[in-house]
Amino acid sequence: MEKLVVTGPTPLKGEVTISGAKNAAVAILPATLLIDGVCTIENIPNISDIKISCEILEQLGSKITWNNKNSITIENSNLTTTKAPLDLTSKFRASYYIIGAMLGRMGEIEVGMPGGCKLGARPIDQHIKGFELLGANVTVEKGTIYAKAKKLKGSPIYMDIVSVGATINVMIASVLAKGTTIIDNAAKEPHIVDVANFLNTMGADIRGAGTDVIKINGVEKLHGNSTYSVVPDQIEAGTFMLAAVATRGDLIIKNCITKHLESITAKIIEVGANVEDNGDSIHVWCNKRPNKANIKTLPYPGFPTDLQPQMGVVLSLANGTSIINESIWESRFQYTDELNKMGAKITAQGKTAFFEGVKKLYGAPVYSSDLRAGAALVIAGTAANGVTEIYNLEHIDRGYENIEDKFRKIGAKIERVNE
Ligand code: UD1
């Protein structure tokens, strides 16, 4: 079993470069299934979710060449099956994008229910509603989703809740549909804009991504033969911003889009740390104990739920009592039990947690319950006095490229050890 061993406290200092966005890349890869040709994707994060995504595509007939560790070329001219491997699709959440892409390209798909982080109930009713409005017949039996359509037809679709996954999935499915689709109450996250930009580069006609109304005029074909570079990861950038604050460090975070980080910047300033926006990099430093602050997670442009645990580490060390209200996922406070093992004083009740700030955290053996909880524990271990051992690394490896290398380069004493 692998574990990360972190010895602290270390104020993180120096420069760190952000990788391509996981949540964009895991949608762009399946979206290539719409292209009857070749395309190259650059700035792909080298993480396990991407490797599994490639395995699924290869089993459907994609030919994938890795040009280097962050660039792949995909050829989807000869898809050979409409049955996705059930064991692989259940390993991560974004496997649901195979449904939208294969319905669009082949008019048929059989796929396992998606897996991913256990953050509470994760229904896909809005995805299914969207596919049905486009004319597909969708059934779910014993954990397998069967979706079929002769030819998808554009339709107005009102999303009952703001869903990142449903917005992207229905957008992907609509690209080759006949006529116009209008997605109302769409999610606005940066990765939605990135998937739309990718598809438009390949010949799609998508307008309004990044607003709450997206209009997709169906086209006959996507042409491929293009190269696309994935947007920098908003959540990875935010993770390092909050790591700088929690460890009272000084970091220049390169290759990020500072506009995507405004809600995080605002909270970092509120807790009394410093942020300098340098256009394509952001400088964050903190030389005193953070102040308390209250957080409510919201869809973009609100404070992202995927940075809530990392912010929780900052608030567990703050001067005073802070409150976090988690409005997206019902089980996102599992990490607070682990922080309490390190000396934090956090009480979680349902979707609200109270953080009575302590002056110091202390190293302890801790378990990562999900991807972002794992990142929070790496930050906590770097800020804490003594040795922290972090287990369940498979969660962290799903979404962070070389987390220990990146932390080590900015001063953390961190090793991956095979027990
Ligand atoms: C995506 C992100 C995840 C992030 C989340 C919210 C990916 C691969 N994952 O997850 O990291 O935490 O956005 O920013 O991009 N819901 C329904 N019915 C549906 C779909 C969603 O009720 O059909 C609910 C969910 O239970 C949740 C809320 O809507 O309460 C938001 O979920 P959604 O935005 O869809 O999250 P994901 O796309 O799964």
Side-chain angles (χ1 to χ4, degrees):
M1 195 205 309
E2 284 189 327
K3 64 181 178 182
L4 285 175
V5 181
V6 192
T7 308
T10 310
L12 295 174
K13 289 196 173 149
E15 292 183 354
V16 59
T17 301
I18 298 307
S19 300
K22 162 190 169 285
N23 287 347
V26 293
I28 286 173
L29 283 190
T32 64
L33 288 167
L34 295 175
I35 303 167
D36 184 6
V38 183
C39 66
T40 296
I41 323 280
E42 312 267 6
N43 204 29
I44 293 249
N46 197 289
I47 53 177
S48 67
D49 270 9
I50 290 295
K51 290 174 192 156
I52 300 171
S53 201
C54 286
E55 277 184 58
I56 296 173
L57 291 185
E58 281 175 329
Q59 295 208 22
L60 293 171
S62 303
K63 292 202 173 59
I64 299 183
T65 313
W66 284 85
N67 307 311
N68 60 50
K69 77 177 179 45
N70 299 111
S71 165
I72 54 177
T73 297
I74 308 189
E75 200 218 314
N76 286 327
S77 304
N78 292 308
L79 299 181
T80 47
T81 175
T82 56
K83 284 187 187 173
L86 302 187
D87 54 330
L88 293 179
T89 48
S90 63
K91 281 195 178 162
F92 72 126
R93 186 74 189 154
S95 58
Y96 49 36
Y97 296 133
I98 300 286
I99 311 173
M102 288 294 277
L103 266 180
R105 171 79 187 271
M106 306 288 277
E108 189 172 354
I109 182 67
E110 187 181 318
V111 66
M113 281 297 272
C117 292
K118 307 259 178 291
L119 307 173
R122 300 189 77 170
I124 57 164
D125 55 299
Q126 296 302 305
H127 304 238
I128 293 175
K129 168 182 151 170
F131 298 142
E132 286 176 343
L133 284 167
L134 294 173
N137 181 24
V138 185
T139 51
V140 184
E141 274 171 42
K142 296 185 186 155
T144 302
I145 305 164
Y146 303 85
K148 208 168 178 173
K150 272 209 177 103
K151 171 77 186 165
L152 294 177
K153 286 203 184 87
S155 165
I157 297 169
Y158 180 84
M159 294 287 174
D160 300 327
I161 42 124
V162 177
S163 161
V164 171
T167 301
I168 294 180
N169 220 347
V170 172
M171 186 170 83
I172 290 173
S174 311
V175 162
L176 298 178
K178 195 171 164 42
T180 298
T181 299
I182 296 177
I183 306 174
D184 210 335
N185 200 24
K188 298 181 276 203
E189 269 67 4
H191 31 291
I192 292 168
V193 180
D194 203 45
V195 179
N197 287 344
F198 164 72
L199 289 165
N200 284 343
T201 305
M202 304 295 156
D205 182 358
I206 303 172
R207 297 157 196 221
T211 75
D212 49 18
V213 182
I214 303 179
K215 183 173 173 189
I216 304 115
N217 293 313
V219 295
E220 292 224 330
K221 201 171 166 359
L222 295 189
H223 48 63
N225 293 326
S226 288
T227 297
Y228 189 79
S229 182
V230 176
V231 72
D233 197 309
Q234 174 209 23
I235 304 300
E236 193 197 13
T239 299
F240 281 102
M241 290 169 78
L242 295 167
V245 181
T247 63
R248 298 193 206 172
D250 186 334
L251 288 181
I252 294 177
I253 297 148
K254 295 168 78 175
N255 187 37
C256 57
I257 298 180
T258 55
K259 169 87 188 136
H260 296 163
L261 303 168
E262 283 172 351
S263 62
I264 304 112
T265 297
K267 283 295 161 187
I268 289 180
I269 291 169
E270 191 178 325
V271 300
N274 309 287
V275 182
E276 193 177 72
D277 179 341
N278 296 327
D280 62 354
S281 75
I282 201 156
H283 181 191
V284 181
W285 70 104
C286 179
N287 37 30
K288 65 180 185 62
R289 190 174 176 199
N291 304 323
K292 65 179 180 169
N294 295 335
I295 306 282
K296 180 170 185 171
T297 62
L298 289 168
Y300 188 81
F303 191 92
T305 174
D306 286 356
L307 287 172
Q308 189 260 96
Q310 301 88 317
M311 188 73 203
V313 179
V314 171
L315 299 183
S316 69
L317 287 162
N319 193 1
T321 299
S322 308
I323 303 173
I324 296 185
N325 182 251
E326 168 59 52
S327 79
I328 314 282
W329 301 117
E330 62 202 20
S331 307
R332 193 139 225 185
F333 285 127
Q334 297 168 70
Y335 74 92
T336 59
D337 289 338
E338 306 306 301
L339 289 188
N340 284 344
K341 289 181 193 164
M342 300 175 72
K345 287 190 180 162
I346 310 166
T347 316
Q349 293 168 356
K351 285 189 165 186
T352 305
F354 300 86
F355 292 72
E356 190 187 322
V358 294
K359 283 195 174 150
K360 281 187 180 153
L361 294 174
Y362 296 91
V366 286
Y367 293 82
S368 157
S369 53
D370 60 74
L371 168 58
R372 307 304 171 183
L377 294 176
V378 174
I379 298 174
T382 311
N385 283 41
V387 179
T388 299
E389 292 166 313
I390 305 168
Y391 293 89
N392 294 354
L393 301 189
E394 67 279 8
H395 294 298
I396 305 180
D397 294 336
R398 282 192 33 234
Y400 287 91
E401 178 172 332
N402 275 334
I403 196 163
E404 67 266 33
D405 283 359
K406 287 193 181 183
F407 269 77
R408 205 178 296 120
K409 281 186 186 139
I410 48 178
K413 296 181 189 75
I414 180 169
E415 295 296 334
R416 187 178 287 248
V417 175
N418 209 336
E419 273 191 334

